[in-house]
Structures are given as structure tokens and as C-alpha cells.
Amino acid sequence: MDPNSQNQLWSKWQFEVYELSRHVSRDAIEYNVAKWLRLGFGSVGTVKISRTAHGWRFALIVEGRPAHDPDFVQSVRVAFNDFVEKGWGRVGAFGS
């Protein structure tokens, strides 16, 4: 066990994108999602990208980001929707 783990704040986030018309390749998704996540959450954490029946799911666990703060969660949600609109156009996106 990591002796510092008791002093670390970890949070779990999940984002989903529903593709309605534009299909984006997995390579482009992996590159751009990793870039966006690194800018917004830093480089300490993990992400799992998976294909769903209607789009994509990004599940991540990151250190030091306050998932319990409603204002921060709302700002991430807005930023994620902006990110998705640039890549897919106006489609359904959800982050929590």
C-alpha cells in the first residue's frame, strides 16, 4: 500500500458522448480526449475509453480534483460540452 494514499484526494468521473451523425475514429478520440483530460485534470490518474452502442464512454480516476464541489463539476460539464461540440458538432454529451 502506498503510505501517502491516506493524504491523497481521488475522484471518479464519467463522460459519455452520443454520436448522432459524425463518426470520429478511435485514434482521434484517444489522442484528443487524453489531451483535453491532461489540460483539465493534470497527469495523475487513469482513463478508460470504451465504445458504447450509441457513442463513447470515458471513465477516469484522477487525483486532486474536487468531484464533491458542485461549482467545479458544473465548470467541467460546460468545458466537456464545448470540447465535444468542437469534435462531433452539436450532439449529446454528459459528464459527471
Side-chain angles (χ1 to χ4, degrees):
M1 182 173 154
D2 182 354
N4 293 320
S5 64
Q6 68 184 12
N7 300 320
Q8 294 171 318
L9 174 65
W10 293 91
S11 58
K12 183 177 181 180
W13 297 78
Q14 183 167 298
F15 301 93
E16 293 188 17
V17 175
Y18 302 99
E19 289 184 326
L20 301 176
S21 59
R22 183 171 181 206
H23 175 72
V24 180
S25 72
R26 184 175 186 93
D27 289 342
I29 288 170
E30 288 177 354
Y31 174 78
N32 288 299
V33 166
K35 187 176 175 181
W36 183 80
L37 292 173
R38 195 173 300 113
L39 288 171
F41 290 94
S43 61
V44 180
T46 62
V47 62
K48 180 181 177 186
I49 299 173
S50 55
R51 185 85 167 118
T52 66
H54 302 288
W56 297 91
R57 179 176 299 125
F58 317 117
L60 61 147
I61 298 174
V62 295
E63 180 186 15
R65 297 298 181 202
H68 62 280
D69 179 354
D71 292 333
F72 183 73
V73 171
Q74 182 60 27
S75 71
V76 169
R77 186 172 287 161
V78 168
F80 183 69
N81 284 327
D82 291 344
F83 165 74
V84 169
E85 281 186 27
K86 290 177 184 175
W88 278 275
R90 208 138 179 60
V91 298
F94 177 73
S96 64

